[in-house]
Amino acid sequence: MKTRRTRDRDRMDQGLITNPKDLERMQHELESLERRISTLEDEELEVMARLEDAQRDLDALTAQVAEADEQLTALGATRDAKLAEIDAELSTVVSDRDPVAAGLPEDLLALYDKLRAQKNGVGAAELRQRRCTGCQLGIDNAELAVIASTPDDTVVRCEECSRILVRTPESGL
């Protein structure tokens, strides 16, 4: 459009258009071109402003993604370190458990392992202050009387969660 405007202006300035009607039409066309060029330049400025805003947003989001990636890497390293600690502790517990488990009756150990598999790794729970620590439910007085009268070498199970109850001095019996 600018090229066309320049060409038409040059033609008018050089006197190449002699017909008054053509000259008037050319002047109207130049005015129309000026308006159109002005409109297009305004639109271009708006697009450039939006592009700058979008670039700022992109830069901010890129920085956030980089920060999140750094945090993810740090958290992954922390997780791996904690897993290594847990694995080491687990192997220690397993090695400590093996000699103790060897002295238990096989049927009791089989019951414990079965319950542990069913109850998310907790097959036995302490009876503490008249409450099963496995299901966290209180045990009524009648059931406590039955448990108290049961010999120490008899396996007692919680009526609610079926875990083996381990009686201690803190049981409240």
Side-chain angles (χ1 to χ4, degrees):
M1 292 194 140
K2 289 180 180 180
T3 305
R4 185 173 172 193
R5 177 184 64 180
T6 305
R7 185 192 68 210
D8 288 349
R9 225 184 239 146
D10 288 345
R11 285 181 63 200
M12 286 175 58
D13 292 343
Q14 292 173 2
L16 297 175
I17 302 174
T18 56
N19 186 346
K21 286 190 176 194
D22 286 345
L23 189 57
E24 185 179 336
R25 188 172 32 88
M26 186 73 71
Q27 286 174 339
H28 288 297
E29 188 176 326
L30 282 175
E31 289 172 8
S32 174
L33 282 173
E34 289 294 332
R35 283 192 307 268
R36 181 69 179 140
I37 288 172
S38 176
T39 302
L40 289 174
E41 286 174 344
D42 290 344
E43 289 176 3
E44 183 180 22
L45 289 174
E46 288 177 20
V47 168
M48 289 170 59
R50 286 196 319 248
L51 178 63
E52 289 174 1
D53 292 343
Q55 188 63 45
R56 265 194 309 276
D57 291 345
L58 177 63
D59 292 343
L61 291 173
T62 301
Q64 286 178 353
V65 167
E67 184 180 327
D69 285 344
E70 289 174 12
Q71 288 177 347
L72 181 63
T73 302
L75 290 173
T78 302
R79 178 205 61 216
D80 293 344
K82 294 291 183 185
L83 283 174
E85 287 177 25
I86 289 171
D87 287 342
E89 185 178 342
L90 179 63
S91 65
T92 301
V93 168
V94 167
S95 65
D96 291 347
R97 177 186 183 264
D98 288 341
V100 173
L104 295 175
E106 286 186 31
D107 58 340
L108 178 61
L109 193 56
L111 174 63
Y112 171 76
D113 287 336
K114 177 182 168 188
L115 289 172
R116 194 174 95 191
Q118 293 173 351
K119 304 292 183 182
N120 296 323
V122 181
E126 182 181 3
L127 177 61
R128 181 184 297 164
Q129 298 174 354
R130 302 175 162 206
R131 180 176 299 274
C132 170
T133 58
C135 62
Q136 301 301 324
L137 295 176
I139 298 176
D140 63 42
N141 290 333
E143 182 64 24
L144 283 172
V146 171
I147 294 172
S149 65
T150 305
D152 289 339
D153 62 346
T154 303
V155 175
V156 178
R157 294 177 63 180
C158 175
E159 286 189 8
E160 297 298 324
C161 67
S162 300
R163 289 182 175 96
I164 298 170
L165 288 176
V166 178
R167 295 172 276 182
T168 65
E170 296 177 3
S171 295
L173 299 176

